[in-house]
Structures are given as C-alpha cells and as structure tokens.
Amino acid sequence: MQADPLKKHISQQFDTELEDIRNRVLAMGGLVEKNVGEAILALVDGDAKLGEVAAHSDYQVNRMEIAIDEECAHILARRQPTAIDLRLVMAVIKTIADLERVGDKAEKIARVAVEMASQDRPGAFKELRYMGDLARGALHKALDAFARMDVDAAMDVVRGDDLIDEAYKGLTRQLITYMMEDPRNIRRGIDVLWCARALERVGDHSKNISEYVVYLVCGKDVRHTTPDEAQEEIRSNLR
Amino acid sequence: MQADPLKKHISQQFDTELEDIRNRVLAMGGLVEKNVGEAILALVDGDAKLGEVAAHSDYQVNRMEIAIDEECAHILARRQPTAIDLRLVMAVIKTIADLERVGDKAEKIARVAVEMASQDRPGAFKELRYMGDLARGALHKALDAFARMDVDAAMDVVRGDDLIDEAYKGLTRQLITYMMEDPRNIRRGIDVLWCARALERVGDHSKNISEYVVYLVCGKDVRHTTPDEAQEEIRSNLR
C-alpha cells in the first residue's frame, strides 16, 4: 500500500471534494455488494421477502450513480484536474458504471429468487452459493483495492477471475444434466443458469474495477491484456 | 436536428480535437455494427469462416476504445473543457465503454457461430435474424443520433427497446419448446439462447448510448427514467 498520493492540494476544498467522491464510490459499492449477497441468499434459501428487499434496493444504486456522475462533471469543470486527480475522476466515472451494472445483476437474481421461492429447487444451489461467494468476494476485494489504491490487491482480483469462470462452467454442466434428466426442469434450469451467468458477469465487473485501480495509480491502461502482460506493464512503470 | 453547437471555439485546434473524437467514436461504432451484422450472418448461415473474421475483429474494437479514452483524458487535461464540450467528452467516455461491450457480444455470437456451423441447427434462426436486425438497427440509429446530436432520434431508440425485449421473450419461449421436444437439443438451445440474450443486451447498450446523446445535447441525465419521464425532462429543458 502506497502513501495516499491524492493528499497534496493547496486548496483544502479540492481535497475534500476528491475525498468525497471516493467515499461515495465506496458507499455505492458497499450497497451493491450487500444487494448481491442478499439476492444470492434469497435465491438459495427461497426467501421471497429478502428477494423483494434486494430487488427494490437497486433504485438507490441508480440514484447514487447519477449523483456521483454529476459530482465528477462538476469537479472536472470547476477544478480542471490533471495527472492523478484527473485519473481519479476518470476511474470513478468508469467504476460507478460497472457498479451500476452489478446492481442490475443483483436485481435480476433477486427477481428470480422471488419467482422461484415457492417452487421445487434444483440441486445446484450449493454450487450457486459457492459461486456467489466468489463473485461477491471479488467485488469486495476490488472495492478494497480502490479504497487503498492498492495495485497488488487489484491484480489479485484480475488473476482470480479465472476461478469464477471455472465455477460458472462447472455449474452450467451440472444444470444441463439437470435439464436433460427431466424436460420439466428446463424452465427452472434456465432461470438458475441466468443467475450463474449474472454472477460470472459480477466477476468481470470486479475485474474491470480492479483494472481502473491500476490505471489510477500507475497511469497504465491494462484492459484487454493478460494478467502477466499487465504485471509487466506495472513493473516497467515502477522501474 | 439542431445546428452544431460545438463549432464555436477560438482555438481551431480544440475544434479539430473535439471533431476528431466524435469521428473516432463513429468509426468505432461502425466497426462494432459491422461485427454484430457479420456475427449474426455467420450464425444464421452456418458460415464458420465469416464467424472467425467477426470474432477476430474484436481486438481492433478494444484498441480503438483505449485510444479514444486516452485522447479524452488528454483533452480534459489540456483543454479543460466546460459546458457542452465537457458533456461531449463525458458522453464519449461512456459511449465507447458501451460500444466495447457490444463488441464483446458480437465476438461471443461469432464464436458460437463457428462452433455450431457444422451442427444441426434449431428452427429459431429466422427469429434470431429478425432480432439481430432489430438490435443492429437500434445500434445504427443510436450512432446516427450521436453523429447528428439528434435528441428526437435518440428518444426513438429508447422507446424502441421494448420491441427488442419482446422479440427476445418470444425467441426464449420458442427455444424452450425446442429443448423440451428432445433433450439432445438442450446444449444447442442454450447456445442460441445466449446469442439471443447478447442481442437483447446490444439493444440495452444502444439505449444507453441514446441516453448519453440526450445528456450531451440537453444536459439532462435521463437514465433510469421511463421514456415518458425522459420526454418530459427534455421538454422542460427546451421551455
């Protein structure tokens, strides 16, 4: 973890504003993480009430996105940031777009949870819970890396995404078997498949957020590279 | 269509830069649109070679995204734009993120096309072509609205998204029937379902891009509102 490179402005007000958008991103991220966790729990436990709560909470995520976006536009117009301050604002604009999409996934899973609460449930729920833990864990670590501007932690999330993809593939195979056993399982199987897919996407968004952290700290855009290439980029930057 | 409100800077170089990022967004959008079209064609016609071409072309889309992103950061740092110029840069940063994701969908569809080219094919391909036309049409119109900064055209895309969602639901029902008829169809059916889902998402991204056009021209953030609420926002802005 580095010393906080943002703490350096003559204008204290500017410091406060930058600190404020960082905190708001973390608050938005915390809410999204909570919604993902509750949506999974509602699905796995067949808890329709919790599902309703998680689905309904997404409107708040959307409002946070719009408010932070506006604040970023204000900072750009008023403060005309450069270098790492500018990168922070750019990273925030991108991060909240990814968080908003994770929020959408949580809402979708929560709605499936509400629908399925009263139905017979496929056996794949244990694996879904495991996948949910992985995806939520990745999101948590990505937000943590953002909070501490920790490139190493961010790269751990990038590298860990393969694990979520593997879990997703395993779950898909299992669900296809479940559907082949009895055609009446198909509709339900597809619903669960959507949820697994949504979690796989949560992993992708967490990876995106982690890549913005690398950009923010190092000024290197490591999207669309392999983790090894990214690591090399970061190293060459520190030399 | 309004007169172009961006043509007003004393610095001709700044005009050129803004014009340049607009053109680059349109070039990126054109490539993405082409990839979506080719991916669908490859899937429907079972053309593995075309599928390979479309899948491979996505790396170019990713490179364009990174280059435009960098250019936006440079403009923000060097020109410190305000008002509509700042909104243009913000809209571009968001638009290319959506375009990049549409590119990913095209790549995924193209990969399914390659895999399925030698297999028996479900009957839902006519509907998939129809859905592909709708989604690609929405993307084309959204980019056109961006090019002409045309709020009315943008709102048409926002309103038209329901049509794509309906087509998606119809296709899903059809594919579930196809899978229920014979369990050996399940794997193939799910592959086609992913493609339909990807096209539905292309529609969503086109809607997002159209909402950025409204933000760019009117300064109103109409995301997460209904089309009617958005229209009211726009009207109140013109009063």
Side-chain angles (χ1 to χ4, degrees), chain B residues 86-149:
Chain B
L86 176 58
R87 293 207 302 275
L88 173 68
V89 179
M90 298 262 303
V92 165
I93 291 171
K94 285 166 192 291
T95 296
I96 58 175
D98 279 86
L99 284 177
E100 191 267 332
R101 271 151 210 187
V102 175
D104 283 349
K105 307 291 176 223
E107 188 188 354
K108 265 171 208 165
I109 295 171
R111 294 209 183 282
V112 173
V114 173
E115 247 183 70
M116 290 189 76
S118 57
Q119 296 173 12
D120 261 359
R121 320 166 66 58
F125 276 164
K126 214 182 73 192
E127 280 75 14
L128 201 64
R129 187 193 290 261
Y130 167 68
M131 218 192 137
D133 286 344
L134 283 181
R136 215 182 126 199
L139 180 61
H140 185 84
K141 276 185 239 162
L143 289 167
D144 215 44
F146 176 84
R148 295 186 287 121
M149 296 215 216

Side-chain angles (χ1 to χ4, degrees), chain A residues 34-84:
Chain A
K34 181 171 153 284
N35 288 354
V36 171
E38 288 181 352
I40 295 291
L41 207 63
L43 183 65
V44 173
D45 293 350
D47 185 338
K49 214 167 154 186
L50 186 63
E52 292 282 5
V53 171
H56 187 68
S57 173
D58 191 50
Y59 88 100
Q60 222 178 322
V61 173
N62 296 339
R63 276 188 6 192
M64 283 167 126
E65 185 202 11
I66 289 183
I68 299 171
D69 232 359
E70 258 175 34
E71 182 60 23
C72 286
H74 282 155
I75 291 179
L76 287 172
R78 220 169 32 220
R79 300 291 178 182
Q80 306 174 332
T82 57
I84 194 173

Side-chain angles (χ1 to χ4, degrees), chain B residues 49-198:
Chain B
K49 214 168 154 186
L50 187 63
E52 292 281 6
V53 171
H56 187 69
S57 174
D58 192 51
Y59 88 100
Q60 222 177 322
V61 173
N62 296 340
R63 278 191 359 194
M64 284 167 126
E65 186 201 10
I66 288 183
I68 299 171
D69 233 359
E70 258 175 35
E71 182 60 23
C72 285
H74 283 155
I75 291 179
L76 286 173
R78 220 169 31 219
R79 301 291 179 183
Q80 306 174 333
T82 56
I84 192 171
D85 303 328
L86 176 58
R87 293 207 302 275
L88 173 68
V89 179
M90 298 262 303
V92 165
I93 291 171
K94 285 166 192 291
T95 296
I96 58 175
D98 279 86
L99 284 177
E100 191 267 332
R101 271 151 210 187
V102 175
D104 283 349
K105 307 291 176 223
E107 188 188 354
K108 265 171 208 165
I109 295 171
R111 294 209 183 282
V112 173
V114 173
E115 247 183 70
M116 290 189 76
S118 57
Q119 296 173 12
D120 261 359
R121 320 166 66 58
F125 276 164
K126 214 182 73 192
E127 280 75 14
L128 201 64
R129 187 193 290 261
Y130 167 68
M131 218 192 137
D133 286 344
L134 283 181
R136 215 182 126 199
L139 180 61
H140 185 84
K141 276 185 239 162
L143 289 167
D144 215 44
F146 176 84
R148 295 186 287 121
M149 296 215 216
D150 186 336
V151 172
D152 293 333
M155 284 306 296
D156 277 348
V157 178
V158 171
R159 266 185 297 262
D161 192 45
D162 282 352
L163 206 63
I164 301 177
D165 292 347
E166 278 311 309
Y168 169 65
K169 277 180 205 156
L171 192 51
T172 300
R173 275 192 298 269
Q174 205 180 332
L175 283 165
I176 288 177
T177 307
Y178 167 75
M179 289 189 262
M180 286 175 103
E181 276 164 12
D182 184 346
R184 284 169 300 178
N185 291 339
I186 288 177
R187 220 171 282 265
R188 261 197 305 268
I190 286 173
D191 280 340
V192 179
L193 209 53
W194 285 143
C195 294
R197 172 65 158 208

Side-chain angles (χ1 to χ4, degrees), chain A residues 62 65-66 69 73 76-77 80-82 86 90 93-94 98 100-101 105 108 168 176 179-180 183-184 186-187 190 193-194 197 201 205 208 212 215 221 223-224, chain B residues 62 65-66 69 73 76-77 80-82 86 90 93-94 98 100-101 105 108 168 176 179-180 183-184 186-187 190 193-194 197 201 205 208 212 215 221 223-224:
Chain A
N62 296 339
E65 185 202 11
I66 289 183
D69 232 359
L76 287 172
Q80 306 174 332
T82 57
L86 176 57
M90 297 265 300
I93 291 171
K94 285 167 192 293
D98 278 86
E100 190 268 331
R101 272 151 210 185
K105 306 296 176 219
K108 266 172 207 162
Y168 169 65
I176 288 177
M179 290 189 261
M180 286 175 101
R184 284 169 300 179
I186 289 178
R187 221 172 282 266
I190 287 174
L193 208 53
W194 285 144
R197 172 67 157 205
R201 296 293 297 148
H205 289 295
N208 292 346
Y212 309 145
Y215 165 76
D221 195 330
R223 290 176 293 179
H224 314 302
Chain B
N62 296 340
E65 186 201 10
I66 288 183
D69 233 359
L76 286 173
Q80 306 174 333
T82 56
L86 176 58
M90 298 262 303
I93 291 171
K94 285 166 192 291
D98 279 86
E100 191 267 332
R101 271 151 210 187
K105 307 291 176 223
K108 265 171 208 165
Y168 169 65
I176 288 177
M179 289 189 262
M180 286 175 103
R184 284 169 300 178
I186 288 177
R187 220 171 282 265
I190 286 173
L193 209 53
W194 285 143
R197 172 65 158 208
R201 296 293 298 147
H205 288 296
N208 292 347
Y212 308 146
Y215 165 76
D221 195 331
R223 289 174 294 179
H224 315 302

